[in-house]
């Protein structure tokens, strides 16, 4: 079961006075902009001769940025070029955004959405300008932000199993981290093919580098928060994790026992060390947090406490995987 679907990780019901989550706000903005532009035909660049709409306003390009329209780096994340484009991005935003909202909270959700969008625009426009010599092509869509959210969620919950549909028909069961890596690789292959060989048909000429830039930012942001291993901080990179320390100590003890003639399985002793570490973690850190949730609700948790719960969840998943492997 995904961590954010568990009872103790669910946000308490919000009243109208407390306001909406960042996920609800950003999703709502996307919907409102789409309705305004495609239902009421508000906010379009139009052909001056016949008045027909050409392209939705709010996109960004190198020419826009050169002329000082820096706000387009934000507005482009909420603009789409058609119902299909809109629906695909909203499906990804709905799936990944809810999980990020529950795990990281509104502040981090907003940061990942916006920073991934900016990183995606920077990557795509850089390729347009430096490689293609194109400063006029307009970038629109929430896909860079959605890819950033997906990658951040995959870093936090890599073992979560989901059902993906190939061509929206064939169901395939796979890990979330596998899905994220596969999508990243596909974007990279098609992006490089478009740059090096320029043979992609018109329907496949999309902003692959925007997706890649957003995904890299989402990965980096989640790693900075401590998910997927040690946090990306200078000191932490040189400090062994508690689990690694326990494993190394147990391996040393196992080696000594083998020298004395005691037949001890290294794999079993390593697993035992992890179990001992996890039991200690639950007793010392997780139980007080669960007690706090029961008394004050999930909204009372700090970011560090959420990270402790997620770490315990990851270790439990590893033990289950190891038990199935044995």
């Amino acid at each position: 079961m995904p961590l954010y679907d568990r009872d103790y990780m669910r946000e308490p019901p919000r009243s109208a006075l407390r306001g909406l989550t960042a996920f609800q706000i950003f999703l709502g903005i996307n919907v409102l902009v789409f309705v305004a532009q495609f239902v009421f035909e508000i906010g379009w660049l139009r052909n001056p001769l016949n008045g027909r709409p050409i392209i939705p306003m709010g996109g960004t390009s190198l020419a826009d940025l050169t002329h000082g329209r820096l706000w387009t780096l934000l507005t482009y994340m909420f603009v789409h070029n058609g119902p299909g484009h809109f629906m695909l991005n909203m499906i990804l935003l709905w799936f990944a955004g809810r999980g990020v909202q529950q795990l990281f909270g509104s502040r981090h959700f907003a940061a990942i959405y916006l920073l991934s969008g900016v990183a995606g625009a920077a990557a795509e426009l850089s390729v347009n300008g430096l490689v293609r010599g194109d400063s006029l092509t307009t970038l629109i869509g929430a896909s860079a932000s959605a890819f950033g959210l997906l990658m951040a969620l995959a870093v936090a919950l890599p073992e979560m199993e989901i059902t993906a549909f190939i061509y929206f028909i064939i169901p395939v069961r796979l890990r979330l981290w596998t899905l994220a890596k596969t999508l990243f690789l596909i974007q990279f292959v098609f992006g490089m093919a478009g740059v090096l060989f320029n043979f992609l048909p018109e329907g496949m000429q999309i902003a692959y580098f925007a997706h890649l830039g957003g995904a890299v930012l989402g990965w980096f942001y989640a790693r900075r928060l401590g998910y997927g291993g040690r946090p990306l901080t200078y000191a932490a990179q040189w400090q062994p994790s508690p689990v690694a320390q326990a494993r190394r100590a147990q391996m040393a003890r196992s080696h000594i026992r083998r020298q004395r003639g005691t037949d001890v399985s290294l794999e079993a002793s390593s697993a035992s060390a992890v179990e001992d570490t996890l039991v200690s973690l639950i007793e010392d850190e997780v139980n007080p947090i669960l007690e706090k949730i029961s008394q004050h609700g999930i909204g009372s948790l700090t970011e560090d406490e959420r990270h402790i719960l997620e770490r315990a969840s990851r270790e439990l998943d590893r033990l289950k995987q190891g038990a199935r492997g044995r």
Side-chain angles (χ1 to χ4, degrees):
M1 177 186 296
L3 181 64
Y4 54 85
D5 281 342
R6 297 170 187 169
D7 292 337
Y8 62 81
M9 284 300 293
R10 290 175 182 157
E11 294 280 0
R14 292 176 175 267
S15 66
L17 294 177
R18 293 186 64 183
L20 302 173
T21 65
F23 164 73
Q24 293 168 330
I25 292 172
F26 281 67
L27 179 65
I29 294 174
N30 275 283
V31 172
L32 289 175
V33 171
F34 178 80
V35 170
Q37 293 186 323
F38 287 90
V39 177
F40 298 102
E41 294 190 352
I42 300 172
W44 284 81
L45 294 174
R46 298 179 179 273
N47 188 319
L49 299 178
N50 54 28
R52 292 180 181 176
I54 302 174
I55 187 172
M57 296 175 63
T60 189
S61 67
L62 283 176
D64 288 318
L65 300 179
T66 301
H67 289 87
R69 293 187 283 271
L70 301 181
W71 62 85
T72 60
L73 281 175
L74 298 179
T75 58
Y76 97 93
M77 307 176 200
F78 303 96
V79 179
H80 295 85
N81 64 5
H85 186 208
F86 172 77
M87 288 302 300
L88 286 175
N89 282 342
M90 291 306 100
I91 289 172
L92 186 56
L93 177 59
W94 177 266
F95 165 71
R98 290 185 306 143
V100 170
Q101 174 69 49
Q102 290 286 348
L103 282 175
F104 298 165
S106 286
R107 180 168 62 89
H108 292 305
F109 174 94
I112 294 172
Y113 186 102
L114 296 174
L115 292 176
S116 295
V118 172
E124 184 68 23
L125 296 182
S126 295
V127 172
N128 283 348
L130 298 176
V131 179
R132 302 188 180 107
D134 178 8
S135 63
L136 298 179
T137 298
T138 300
L139 178 65
I140 58 176
S143 54
S145 299
F147 267 85
L149 293 168
L150 174 64
M151 187 60 73
L153 185 63
V155 171
L157 299 174
E159 301 297 331
M160 188 178 84
E161 293 189 348
I162 63 170
T163 300
F165 289 87
I166 300 177
Y167 298 113
F168 298 98
I169 299 175
I170 306 172
V172 177
R173 193 74 176 170
L174 71 169
R175 296 164 60 238
L176 181 56
W177 181 241
T178 301
L179 172 65
K181 289 191 298 183
T182 301
L183 290 177
F184 187 91
L185 180 61
I186 291 172
Q187 305 306 305
F188 180 78
V189 170
F190 280 103
M192 293 305 296
V195 168
L196 298 177
F197 306 108
N198 196 28
F199 71 92
L200 295 178
E202 184 177 354
M204 298 182 66
Q205 294 178 6
I206 61 179
Y208 295 109
F209 290 97
H211 303 166
L212 293 172
V216 169
L217 193 287
W219 173 87
F220 181 79
Y221 195 101
R223 293 286 285 109
R224 285 285 296 178
L225 292 179
Y227 293 94
R230 299 192 202 97
L232 285 179
T233 56
Y234 294 111
Q237 293 308 294
W238 307 101
Q239 299 299 323
S241 67
V243 174
Q245 287 179 315
R247 283 182 175 177
R248 281 199 289 270
Q250 191 66 20
M251 288 173 64
R253 288 195 293 270
S254 299
H255 177 71
I256 294 174
R257 292 192 186 105
R258 285 197 301 272
Q259 294 296 323
R260 295 174 178 174
T262 304
D263 184 16
V264 179
S265 170
L266 181 60
E267 180 180 354
S269 62
S270 178
S272 176
V274 176
E275 292 174 2
D276 292 343
T277 302
L278 181 58
V279 169
S280 177
L281 172 67
I282 292 175
E283 290 179 349
D284 298 340
E285 301 186 55
V286 174
N287 285 340
I289 295 174
L290 296 180
E291 181 66 24
K292 182 178 179 180
I293 294 175
S294 67
Q295 294 179 358
H296 305 289
I298 187 67
S300 65
L301 296 186
T302 64
E303 293 297 329
D304 289 341
E305 290 168 336
R306 287 175 180 265
H307 295 166
I308 291 172
L309 288 179
E310 175 54 26
R311 176 187 162 201
S313 175
R314 290 198 303 268
E315 295 303 330
L316 283 171
D317 289 339
R318 290 175 187 168
L319 286 176
K320 291 178 182 177
Q321 293 291 333
R324 284 198 291 267
R326 292 193 296 272

